[in-house]
Amino acid sequence: MTRIAERTPPPLPAAQIELLVADIGGTHARFALAELSANAAPVLHDIRKLAVAEFANLPAAVLSYTDQIHRDLPDRAVFAIAAPIRGEEVRFTNNDWRIRPADLPSELGIGSIMLLNDLEASAHAAASLESDSFMHIGGPEGSLEKAHSISVIGIGTGLGVAGILRDETGSHILATEGGHAGFAPVDSFEDALLSHLRREHGRVSAERVAAGMGLRPFMEVLAAERGQMVADRDDKSLWQSALSGSDPLAVAARDRYLLCLGSIAGDIALMHGPGPVILTGGLGARLAPYLAGSGFMQRFVAKGRYQDLMQTLPVKLMQHEEPGLFGAAAAFFRRQCPL
Amino acid sequence: MTRIAERTPPPLPAAQIELLVADIGGTHARFALAELSANAAPVLHDIRKLAVAEFANLPAAVLSYTDQIHRDLPDRAVFAIAAPIRGEEVRFTNNDWRIRPADLPSELGIGSIMLLNDLEASAHAAASLESDSFMHIGGPEGSLEKAHSISVIGIGTGLGVAGILRDETGSHILATEGGHAGFAPVDSFEDALLSHLRREHGRVSAERVAAGMGLRPFMEVLAAERGQMVADRDDKSLWQSALSGSDPLAVAARDRYLLCLGSIAGDIALMHGPGPVILTGGLGARLAPYLAGSGFMQRFVAKGRYQDLMQTLPVKLMQHEEPGLFGAAAAFFRRQCPL
């Protein structure tokens, strides 16, 4: 988390604080205004979703948002960003924008700006939401409140990973780039998938198989086994076929993908504890109905001597409609009033 | 971390506290007495190393330690254990002891006992030691003090992994079983290694290749390529040949092992941040002189689009002679006086 303040913003009033919040991913930039008050969850309004590709940079997108809502912006902002927040320039992994944090206050005319990783924001959201905000996916029912660690996995254009660590001092958020760890195949099909992706990319990260871009290589390997070809369609269209059931090859690829996602989710959990796993992200939400009938949970727990331990861990889906925006506001709130 | 108290121990005196500390691994159980005072690092004395295989259980080993030091034990103890600390019974991954935490106070006659994972203890040690306690291995020189996260990797009988998360509230320790995440091969040799290990074990974890047990399969795959056989010797003897340079096959396996260890260390760092990496463990210390001349750092940073970021991260070796024992004492101290 990085904070850039050009001038001291007005002191925090006891009553209510207004923030500009944004959630900037590989494909979409979401904006909202958030109202924070002392004893309630942040409230979002004036939510807008813009296509990153339609704007040259972040200031142009903020200007468009301001025009759309016909409002002056508050003097505080929190931006959740699908990139590691380090150094003098933030580069997105999955889009072409560049952000120089030191220049943002003058570019945007906003006095105090906090930047954080988008999954870090989702983890702040997860640490702030009530238990009825999580849909049960697998493992034992029950609450997340007693877990020492929780892994938050965002499945979308990229594969985002964050952790929540709980100790006697409260909940602490770990921002990570775990989606870029190496892909660990567990059977001969996944060996073939790894070889296939290695020919194209050299090194193969977990993100290459577990994010939105992952369905195509599964289809390509299955198609090669069957002497078929994969139609020249974009990832979005392939996923539509996979989820609607309209294309048998895409459906078979989806089932294989869900196995692989289970293995990767289990490995992420082991790296952070293991503790419960919370899935989020646009694709994560769309996949949720398919997880129960798939081999996802079987693979999640298939960790050899650790199988008994893995079977004690719940897997949940975060059901908030705007986890990044809510999480950006929650991160600000939690920083003012750490729990 | 689990605390079991049968009776309330005497109140903490302002002056000095004495603890029994233990570090129980797959092969050895180390014991010491630790003196804690308010403004100084814990001091260890009466250090003894016992072979786990010579004792039926932990109480028998504690009894032997008490006999050896001719002292009554203090009424507080902290045990660092090479196992996940969960549930009613703690089972070691790499030895046959079982511990029922609830029974320990009466079995040992000690009023208050804290159990923690051995790498969790090492991470407490790392968070407590001065910068001159770390030997520089690779990456940029410089201190660890500003890092948001640090990964602590223990290389010994097993592969232990813990994290240190730093935020505005201080340093927080993440106990993990990350060594049991899946092994991610990055080239055709490692593909062959994975196939070889999969035939024997089914699922293959990072620990299978990166801990003490890892050298043999590297030798077996290299020997098969060369039409040779691996002599029927134990892991300790194979490592002696690999480190002394007396056996060309063992040396070639060691070089391949160090590449693989670099990839795994980089993946662990990505899962926790990425942030700096601190190596520890008996084998880690013995490998340190070989890391600089090996491909370890090249593989550590070889994370595709994340290479620039990985190149900003230092890798260090923790040089304390008893990181587990010191860490057990440091964990107790940090819990009394969180930083």
Side-chain angles (χ1 to χ4, degrees), chain B residues 278-301:
Chain B
I278 295 173
L279 303 177
T280 182
L283 181 56
R286 292 173 69 202
L287 288 171
Y290 302 89
L291 289 169
S294 77
F296 174 87
M297 283 305 299
Q298 185 198 331
R299 278 286 195 88
F300 177 75
V301 303

Side-chain angles (χ1 to χ4, degrees), chain B residues 261-323:
Chain B
L261 184 65
S263 293
I264 290 169
D267 282 347
I268 291 169
L270 284 164
M271 284 283 187
H272 291 168
V277 166
I278 295 173
L279 303 177
T280 182
L283 181 56
R286 292 173 69 202
L287 288 171
Y290 302 89
L291 289 169
S294 77
F296 174 87
M297 283 305 299
Q298 185 198 331
R299 278 286 195 88
F300 177 75
V301 303
K303 301 298 180 188
R305 294 170 289 177
Y306 283 75
Q307 178 143 348
D308 288 352
L309 177 49
M310 297 304 290
Q311 282 172 335
T312 67
L313 305 176
V315 177
K316 308 266 185 182
L317 177 77
M318 183 150 54
Q319 291 198 284
H320 199 282
E321 289 189 358
E322 295 291 352

Side-chain angles (χ1 to χ4, degrees), chain A residues 1-327:
Chain A
M1 196 188 293
T2 294
R3 175 172 276 184
I4 318 103
E6 190 176 53
R7 58 181 179 273
T8 306
L12 301 182
Q16 206 167 45
I17 302 169
E18 192 181 52
L19 293 176
L20 170 66
V21 290
D23 177 14
I24 305 167
T27 310
H28 293 109
R30 292 172 167 80
F31 293 91
L33 298 177
E35 306 293 335
L36 273 63
S37 49
N39 292 308
V43 175
L44 303 175
H45 58 89
D46 288 298
I47 299 172
R48 296 289 187 283
K49 183 165 99 171
L50 309 184
V52 166
E54 291 178 12
F55 299 91
N57 50 40
L58 175 60
V62 171
L63 191 64
S64 171
Y65 173 69
T66 314
D67 285 348
Q68 289 182 38
I69 63 168
H70 306 292
R71 287 270 313 265
D72 287 340
L73 293 181
D75 204 32
R76 292 187 180 86
V78 183
F79 296 150
I81 292 177
I85 310 295
R86 302 182 185 231
E88 294 181 3
E89 185 174 79
V90 174
R91 296 174 183 217
F92 287 75
T93 313
N94 293 310
N95 78 44
D96 293 330
W97 286 5
R98 300 274 182 275
I99 293 176
R100 293 184 63 85
D103 297 343
L104 272 186
S106 62
E107 287 174 351
L108 302 178
I110 294 176
S112 167
I113 299 174
M114 201 166 103
L115 300 182
L116 75 172
N117 175 266
D118 59 342
L119 258 284
E120 185 182 3
S122 292
H124 277 286
S128 304
L129 288 167
E130 300 294 328
S131 58
D132 61 3
S133 301
F134 302 98
M135 185 175 101
H136 189 72
I137 298 287
E141 294 271 357
S143 88
L144 303 171
E145 280 159 29
K146 289 190 177 170
H148 292 299
S149 72
I150 295 173
S151 298
V152 182
I153 303 178
I155 309 164
T157 308
L159 181 70
V161 177
I164 303 173
L165 184 166
R166 291 223 193 85
D167 61 18
E168 57 271 30
T169 66
S171 294
H172 308 280
I173 307 301
L174 186 68
T176 90
E177 295 297 330
H180 299 277
F183 167 51
V186 306
D187 62 19
S188 59
F189 176 86
E190 294 181 7
D191 293 345
L193 181 70
L194 174 59
S195 297
H196 177 70
L197 283 163
R198 205 186 269 158
R199 277 193 291 276
E200 189 174 350
H201 301 291
R203 174 172 184 271
V204 180
S205 65
E207 177 170 280
R208 291 276 179 213
V209 297
M213 65 187 85
L215 187 64
R216 177 184 299 277
F218 280 94
M219 290 182 68
E220 288 167 346
V221 172
L222 283 171
E225 284 180 357
R226 300 172 181 191
Q228 300 175 355
M229 293 283 285
V230 178
D232 186 19
R233 294 151 56 197
D234 65 14
D235 288 336
K236 189 175 172 185
S237 158
L238 295 179
W239 275 111
Q240 280 165 350
S241 303
L243 298 181
S244 70
S246 65
D247 175 347
L249 182 68
V251 170
R254 177 197 80 197
D255 291 345
R256 267 280 172 196
Y257 165 93
L258 290 174
L259 289 175
C260 202
L261 184 65
S263 294
I264 290 170
D267 283 347
I268 291 169
L270 284 164
M271 283 284 187
H272 291 169
V277 166
I278 295 173
L279 303 177
T280 182
L283 182 56
R286 292 172 68 201
L287 288 171
Y290 302 89
L291 288 169
S294 77
F296 174 87
M297 283 306 298
Q298 185 198 332
R299 277 286 194 88
F300 177 75
V301 303
K303 301 298 180 187
R305 294 170 290 177
Y306 283 75
Q307 178 143 348
D308 288 352
L309 177 49
M310 297 304 290
Q311 282 172 336
T312 67
L313 305 176
V315 177
K316 308 266 185 183
L317 177 77
M318 184 151 54
Q319 292 197 284
H320 199 282
E321 289 189 359
E322 295 291 352
L325 293 175
F326 180 80

Side-chain angles (χ1 to χ4, degrees), chain B residues 96-328:
Chain B
D96 293 330
W97 286 6
R98 300 274 182 276
I99 293 176
R100 292 184 63 85
D103 297 343
L104 272 186
S106 62
E107 287 174 353
L108 302 178
I110 294 176
S112 168
I113 299 174
M114 201 165 104
L115 300 182
L116 74 171
N117 176 266
D118 59 342
L119 258 284
E120 186 183 3
S122 292
H124 278 286
S128 305
L129 288 167
E130 300 294 329
S131 58
D132 60 3
S133 301
F134 301 98
M135 185 175 102
H136 189 72
I137 298 287
E141 294 271 357
S143 88
L144 303 171
E145 280 157 30
K146 289 189 178 170
H148 291 299
S149 72
I150 295 173
S151 298
V152 182
I153 304 177
I155 309 164
T157 307
L159 181 70
V161 177
I164 303 173
L165 184 166
R166 290 223 192 85
D167 61 18
E168 57 271 29
T169 66
S171 295
H172 308 280
I173 307 301
L174 186 68
T176 89
E177 296 298 330
H180 300 277
F183 166 50
V186 305
D187 62 20
S188 59
F189 177 86
E190 294 181 7
D191 293 345
L193 181 70
L194 174 59
S195 297
H196 176 71
L197 284 163
R198 205 186 269 159
R199 277 194 291 277
E200 189 174 350
H201 301 291
R203 174 172 183 270
V204 180
S205 66
E207 176 170 281
R208 291 277 179 211
V209 298
M213 66 187 85
L215 187 64
R216 177 183 298 277
F218 280 93
M219 290 181 69
E220 288 167 346
V221 173
L222 283 171
E225 284 181 357
R226 299 172 182 191
Q228 299 175 355
M229 293 283 285
V230 178
D232 185 19
R233 294 151 57 196
D234 65 14
D235 288 335
K236 188 175 172 185
S237 158
L238 295 178
W239 275 111
Q240 279 164 350
S241 302
L243 298 181
S244 70
S246 65
D247 175 348
L249 182 68
V251 170
R254 177 196 80 197
D255 291 345
R256 267 281 173 196
Y257 165 93
L258 290 173
L259 289 176
C260 201
L261 184 65
S263 293
I264 290 169
D267 282 347
I268 291 169
L270 284 164
M271 284 283 187
H272 291 168
V277 166
I278 295 173
L279 303 177
T280 182
L283 181 56
R286 292 173 69 202
L287 288 171
Y290 302 89
L291 289 169
S294 77
F296 174 87
M297 283 305 299
Q298 185 198 331
R299 278 286 195 88
F300 177 75
V301 303
K303 301 298 180 188
R305 294 170 289 177
Y306 283 75
Q307 178 143 348
D308 288 352
L309 177 49
M310 297 304 290
Q311 282 172 335
T312 67
L313 305 176
V315 177
K316 308 266 185 182
L317 177 77
M318 183 150 54
Q319 291 198 284
H320 199 282
E321 289 189 358
E322 295 291 352
L325 292 175
F326 179 80

